[in-house]
Amino acid sequence: MKEESPKAIIYALAANFGIAVCKFAAASFTGSGSMFAEAIHSTADCGNQLLLLFGLRQARRPASPLHPMGGGREINFYSLLVALLLFFVGGAFSVYEGVHRLMAREPLQYAYVALVVLGVSVVLEAFSLWGALREIRRVHPEKNIWRWFRETRESELLVVAGEDIAALVGLAIAFAAVLLTLVTGNPVYDAFGSIAVGLLLMVIAGLVAREVKSMIVGESASPEVRRAIEAHLRARSEIRGIINMITLQWGRHVVVAVQAEMIDYASGRAMVDAINIIEADLQAAFPQVRWVFFEPDVPRA
C-alpha cells in the first residue's frame, strides 16, 4: 500500500504562493476590489495547503491504546477545516470586500496591470489543477471528475481539486469584471466581480464540506473496491455464502467485517486455520485492507 502522496498539495502550495504575491502587488497598485478578493483567496489557499500537509503527517501516526486504528482519519478533520476556511476567509471576505467597494465606488487604476497579473495567475493555477488531475487520472482513469468527486475517499485531493477549480473560475470572473470596468469606466463591475468570486468560493466550499463530512461520519470503501472485495470472498472455496459484509474507509486504509457461512470442517481448529488463510489472501489481494474481522455464522430465516 503506497503512502499518501503530497505532490498535488505541493504543486498547489507553490502555485498559490506565487499567485498571492502577484495579486497583492497588483491590488495595491490598481485599487481593484476583484484583484484584492483574489489575493485573499490565494493567501487562504496557501494556509489551506499547509494545513493539509500537516494533516497528512498526523494521519501517519501509528496505532496506540487510545487510537487502536491509528490516525488515518485525521486528514478528514483537517480537510473539513480547509473547507470552512475557504468558505469564511475566501468566500465571505470576498463578498464583504465587494459590498464595501460597491458602496464606496472606488475607482480602478492601471487596469492593464490587473489583467496581466490575472492572466499569469490563470497559467499558475492551471499548473496546480494539472497536478491534481494527474493524481486523479493515475489512480482512477475510468472516472469523470464529477463521479470521482462524489465517490472519492481521498479528502485531501478532493480539497485541492475543489480549490483549483474554484480558483480558475474565479480568475475568469475577476478578469471579466476588470475588463468591463476598464471598457466602461464604471467601478461597479469590479465590485460585483468581487461579490461573484466570493459566492463561487462559498458554493465550492459547501460542496467540499458536504463530501468531507460524510467521510468523517464514516463511509464505506469506494463502490468498486467494495464490489471487488465481495467478489473475491464469494469466489473462495472455503466460503459457502456471504451473510453480511461491511467495509469502512479509514484514511487510506480499509476495515472489512465479514459474516459468512463456511463449508463443513472436521474441527473448530481447521475452520480457524481456513479463516486465517482467507484473511491473509484478502490482504495480499487488497493491500489497502489493514483490518479484517471475520465471523463464521449460519443464515437466519
Side-chain angles (χ1 to χ4, degrees):
M1 175 68 185
K2 74 177 183 63
E3 292 298 324
E4 295 88 340
S5 172
K7 284 183 180 179
I9 302 175
I10 293 173
Y11 288 149
L13 178 59
N16 281 307
F17 179 77
I19 291 170
V21 172
C22 294
K23 286 179 180 176
F24 271 119
S28 299
F29 192 64
T30 64
S32 168
S34 295
M35 181 62 68
F36 189 69
E38 280 293 320
I40 293 296
H41 171 203
S42 295
T43 303
D45 282 352
C46 289
N48 291 345
Q49 273 102 50
L50 290 174
L51 268 178
L52 290 177
L53 288 173
F54 181 75
L56 284 178
R57 181 180 178 184
Q58 294 296 100
R60 295 190 180 102
R61 292 194 304 174
S64 67
L66 183 61
H67 300 102
M69 291 185 176
R73 290 175 72 176
E74 280 210 44
I75 185 59
N76 297 339
F77 168 75
Y78 287 98
S79 296
L80 183 61
L81 284 184
V82 167
L84 293 175
L85 286 172
L86 185 66
F87 184 93
F88 290 108
V89 178
F93 187 84
S94 294
V95 171
Y96 165 79
E97 181 65 20
V99 172
H100 170 73
R101 289 181 180 269
L102 187 63
M103 297 174 65
R105 299 293 179 94
E106 298 177 2
L108 178 63
Q109 300 174 341
Y110 307 105
Y112 291 108
V113 175
L115 292 175
V116 170
V117 171
L118 287 171
V120 172
S121 299
V122 167
V123 174
L124 292 175
E125 205 64 70
F127 166 75
S128 175
L129 181 59
W130 169 81
L133 292 178
R134 189 178 70 165
E135 289 293 305
I136 294 169
R137 293 300 181 195
R138 183 174 61 83
V139 182
H140 304 287
E142 77 288 354
K143 294 183 179 180
N144 60 47
I145 189 66
W146 177 246
R147 182 183 167 196
W148 173 85
F149 184 87
R150 295 307 310 274
E151 295 182 358
T152 185
R153 304 301 189 258
E154 300 171 275
S155 59
E156 72 284 0
L157 194 53
L158 173 74
V159 169
V160 171
E163 280 184 341
D164 289 342
I165 291 170
L168 276 175
V169 178
L171 286 168
I173 293 173
F175 190 93
V178 172
L179 187 61
L180 283 172
T181 300
L182 175 64
V183 171
T184 64
N186 190 346
V188 168
Y189 293 107
D190 183 55
F192 278 129
S194 179
I195 294 172
V197 169
L199 293 176
L200 169 71
L201 294 178
M202 294 168 80
V203 169
I204 296 293
L207 292 174
V208 170
R210 183 185 67 178
E211 296 298 322
V212 176
K213 184 265 297 182
S214 182
M215 297 180 200
I216 291 176
V217 172
E219 286 188 336
S220 67
S222 61
E224 64 271 17
V225 171
R226 191 185 190 285
R227 287 193 296 267
I229 291 174
E230 185 171 358
H232 174 89
L233 292 173
R234 289 189 183 278
R236 301 289 307 199
S237 60
E238 305 95 330
I239 297 177
R240 186 168 290 154
I242 301 295
I243 300 171
N244 191 22
M245 187 187 81
I246 296 173
T247 63
L248 177 64
Q249 192 74 35
W250 198 273
R252 287 295 181 94
H253 301 295
V254 175
V255 182
V256 178
V258 182
Q259 190 180 35
E261 182 183 10
M262 304 292 288
I263 63 174
D264 295 329
Y265 283 92
S267 66
R269 176 57 187 268
M271 181 179 290
V272 169
D273 290 341
I275 290 174
N276 287 337
I277 292 173
I278 292 171
E279 291 179 346
D281 288 349
L282 179 64
Q283 290 175 312
F286 300 91
Q288 67 268 47
V289 175
R290 176 67 65 87
W291 302 273
V292 183
F293 302 99
F294 199 104
E295 178 188 357
D297 206 342
V298 293
R300 294 176 176 83

